Amino acid sequence: MTLILLFLLIFVVGPLIFRAMTQRQPSKGQMLFLSVFALASAGAALAIRYGWARPLDADMLMAGVSIVLIWLGWIGVMAFVTQALRHAYPDQAVRRWTAVLGAIGTTIPWFGLAWARILAP
C-alpha cells in the first residue's frame, strides 16, 4: 500500500507541482521564487537530518518529511532550469520539450526508491 501511495505521489503530484511552477512566463521574480524555494526545501531537509535530536531511523515520519523536502527541492531546481531555458530560447518547441522532460524528471526518485527496495535484504 505504501508503494502505491508513493507511486501516485511521484507520478501524479510531482508533474502537477512542476507544471504549476512553470505555468507562467519566465521572469526575474519567478526565478527568484524558484531558487529560494529549492534552497529552502533543501535547507529544511538538511536541518531535519542534522538538527533533529533523534536519529532518522528511529523517527520514520521525520525521515519521510526530509525525503519529500529533498524531492520538492529537486522539482524546484528542474523548474528553475526549465524557466531559464525558456527565457533564453523563447521558441514553442523549447517550451513543449522542457515541459515533457521536466515532468518526466520529477519521477526519477521513484526509480531510486524501487531500486533500493529490490536491493534491500
Side-chain angles (χ1 to χ4, degrees), residues 24-86:
R24 300 169 60 201
Q25 290 294 334
S27 67
K28 283 187 179 184
Q30 188 183 28
M31 298 298 277
L32 179 65
F33 167 75
L34 291 172
S35 60
V36 168
F37 176 82
L39 286 172
S41 296
L46 288 172
I48 290 172
R49 169 64 179 97
Y50 293 108
W52 199 249
R54 296 172 27 188
L56 286 181
D57 60 349
D59 192 353
M60 293 307 293
L61 176 65
M62 294 297 12
V65 168
S66 181
I67 290 171
V68 168
L69 286 169
I70 291 170
W71 178 60
L72 287 174
W74 167 250
I75 293 173
V77 167
M78 287 193 315
F80 180 85
V81 171
T82 295
Q83 292 297 70
L85 286 171
R86 288 178 180 179

Side-chain angles (χ1 to χ4, degrees), residues 3-22:
L3 285 179
I4 292 171
L5 289 174
L6 282 174
F7 180 85
L8 289 175
L9 177 75
I10 291 174
F11 279 88
V12 176
V13 176
L16 289 176
I17 292 171
F18 175 80
R19 183 170 185 239
M21 288 181 166
T22 58

